[in-house]
Amino acid sequence: MSYTHTPVLLTEMLTALNPKSGEIYIDATFGGGGYTRAILSKGARVIAFDRDPFVKQFAQGVDLIQAPFSQMAHYVHEKVDGVVFDFGVSSFQLDNPGRGFSFQSNGPLDMRMGEGKVTAALVVNSYGEKDLADIIYTYGEEHKSRLIAKLIVQHRPFRTTKELADLIAKHVKGKPRLHPATQTFQALRIYVNDELHEIQAGLESALSLLKPGGKIVTVSFHALEDRIVKQFFKAHHLKTNKKHVMKPSKEELKLNPRARSARLRMGMLH
Ligand SMILES: C[S@@+](CC[C@H](N)C(=O)[O-])C[C@H]1O[C@@H](n2cnc3c(N)ncnc32)[C@H](O)[C@@H]1O
C-alpha cells in the first residue's frame, strides 16, 4: 500500500509566505513535501525538517534534516526569510495501521511520529490513574477523562488501538458525530510526541532565525495548537495579516475533508 498526503491550505500558505527567487525558507514539517515543492517552484531555497524517518523517500533532491523542529536553530546557521509549520499528523502516519495513530483501524498502540522511547502502549499500560486522567483532560480536552482513566486501569493491558477504542466506545457516550475515543487518542498522541512543547520551542527557534521582515506561517488543527501560536505572535509583537486566521474554502473541504479544522496564521517580524 502506498501512502500520500494532500497538502492543506496550500494556496493560502503560498500567498501568506510569498516566497521569491533567491530567498530561503524552512519547511519545519516536511511530511509528503507538498509545501516544500510549492516553495521550491517559486525559485526559493528550502531547508526541510521532519522527525519521521519515513518521509525520506519523498525527499529526493531536497535538503531534509531528520530532527524535531524545536532543534532547527542547531542545524541552520543562516537567517531565513520565513518558516512554515503544518502541525499534526500526516495522512501516511494516520492511514498506516502499523503506526497506531488511528482508532478506525487496528494496530499496535504506538503513535510515535519520530524515534522517541515513549509509546502510547507504555502510557496506557503503566501510568497511574491520576496521570492518565490529567493527560486525557489536558491534551484531549476530554471532560470524561477521569472515567476513561479509571476504565483504562481496570481493563489493561491493551495491545492494540482497537482494544482501547472499543472499551471507550462501550462505556462512554461521545459528542455528536465524534467517535467517543477521538479526544483520548488525540491526548495520547500529543503526550507521546510532546507536541505542545515542540510547538512552543519550534516557534522560538524559528523566531531566532528570521531576517527582519521574515515570516512565520502556521497551520494548526486544534485549539491547543492554535492558542500557542496566537499567544506567541502576541507576546513577540509579530505583525499579523489583516485576516488573522484563514480557513479552508468549501472547494478544498469537498476534496479533502481532513482539512476541516485547519487554521492558518501568519506573523511577520518588524
Ligand atoms: C501534516 S504533516 C505535513 C505535511 C506537509 N506540509 C505536506 O505538504 O506534505 C506534518 C509532518 O510534521 C512532522 N512533525 C510533526 N511534529 C514535528 C516536530 N516536532 N518536529 C519535526 N517534524 C514534526 C510529522 O512527522 C509529519 O510528517
Side-chain angles (χ1 to χ4, degrees), residues 5-23 25-27 29-30 32-48 58 60 62 84 86 217 264:
H5 178 85
T6 308
V8 168
L9 288 167
L10 184 63
T11 314
E12 290 80 355
M13 179 283 293
L14 267 187
T15 307
L17 212 56
N18 191 20
K20 296 190 197 71
S21 170
E23 292 182 337
Y25 289 87
I26 294 175
D27 180 354
T29 52
F30 179 77
Y35 282 12
T36 287
R37 282 190 291 275
I39 300 167
L40 288 171
S41 76
K42 300 290 174 189
R45 247 176 78 207
V46 177
I47 304 169
F58 309 121
Q60 276 100 359
V62 174
V84 61
D86 181 12
V217 170
L264 182 143

Side-chain angles (χ1 to χ4, degrees), residues 1 13 60 67 88 119 159 169 179 185 230 232 236 247 253:
M1 183 166 175
M13 179 283 293
Q60 276 100 359
T119 62
R159 283 177 308 108
H179 186 286
F185 271 63
K230 201 168 137 186
F232 183 86
H236 294 278
K247 299 177 186 175
L253 289 178

Side-chain angles (χ1 to χ4, degrees), residues 197-267:
H197 296 121
E198 269 296 313
I199 293 177
Q200 182 69 35
L203 290 168
E204 276 160 23
S205 210
L207 187 65
S208 75
L209 290 171
L210 286 188
K211 293 178 186 170
K215 293 170 183 170
I216 297 178
V217 170
T218 62
V219 175
S220 55
F221 289 86
H222 54 77
L224 294 170
E225 293 172 346
D226 201 42
R227 201 175 303 148
I228 297 173
V229 176
K230 201 168 137 186
Q231 286 171 357
F232 183 86
F233 284 1
K234 202 164 165 216
H236 294 278
H237 309 289
L238 294 186
K239 210 167 109 191
T240 49
N241 44 359
K242 262 191 236 134
K243 259 181 103 184
H244 288 294
V245 191
M246 301 189 76
K247 299 177 186 175
S249 63
K250 282 201 192 96
E251 293 71 38
E252 175 168 5
L253 289 178
K254 236 184 260 161
L255 294 171
N256 184 13
R258 278 187 183 168
R260 203 170 46 245
S261 49
R263 302 285 177 269
L264 182 143
R265 289 183 188 271
M266 194 274 287

Side-chain angles (χ1 to χ4, degrees), residues 5 7 28-35 49-52 55 67-69 86-90 92-93 113 198:
H5 178 85
T29 52
F30 179 77
Y35 282 12
F49 284 82
D50 204 296
R51 53 164 44 164
D52 188 345
V55 309
F69 53 58
D86 181 12
F87 300 124
V89 272
S90 65
F92 52 76
Q93 291 167 331
M113 285 183 191
E198 269 296 313

Side-chain angles (χ1 to χ4, degrees), residues 107-153:
L109 269 167
D110 190 321
M111 298 197 195
R112 284 170 305 164
M113 285 183 191
E115 295 173 318
K117 288 201 176 69
V118 179
T119 62
L122 179 87
V123 178
V124 295
N125 292 328
S126 73
Y127 281 28
E129 187 176 323
K130 180 166 183 319
D131 288 344
L132 283 170
D134 287 348
I135 288 170
I136 296 169
Y137 184 74
T138 311
Y139 299 132
E141 301 189 292
E142 168 65 72
H143 292 288
K144 307 225 171 91
S145 54
R146 289 207 194 138
L147 168 64
I148 295 173
K150 195 172 178 174
L151 285 165
I152 289 176
V153 171

